[in-house]
Amino acid sequence: MSEIVLTVDEAAERLRVSRWTLYNLIRSNQLRTVKIGRRRLVPVDAIAELLNELTEDAA
């Protein structure tokens, strides 16, 4: 089964950024997350949305 959500550490690793940078993206509402209990998880499609947005901004 394909992954649907990633932990913060997994998402940071996929984006090749630090946890600090990932949390800044979350705080600035650039990266959508979900909270289940006390865990904050990053939907895989939210990473794609972020990358699309950043790519459009760079063009």
Side-chain angles (χ1 to χ4, degrees):
M1 181 175 160
S2 176
E3 294 172 327
I4 298 171
V5 293
L6 303 170
T7 65
V8 168
D9 287 334
E10 290 169 339
E13 188 175 317
R14 288 249 178 128
L15 289 170
R16 299 178 196 261
V17 298
S18 68
R19 287 183 71 189
W20 187 83
T21 298
L22 194 84
Y23 276 114
N24 279 339
L25 289 169
I26 293 168
R27 273 192 286 278
S28 66
N29 293 320
Q30 291 182 279
L31 182 61
R32 184 171 45 85
T33 62
V34 294
K35 201 165 181 190
I36 301 176
R38 296 182 68 193
R39 296 185 71 191
R40 183 159 304 276
L41 300 168
V42 180
V44 172
D45 62 337
I47 292 176
E49 290 170 10
L50 171 68
L51 292 175
N52 286 336
E53 184 180 312
L54 292 174
T55 302
E56 288 174 6
D57 288 347

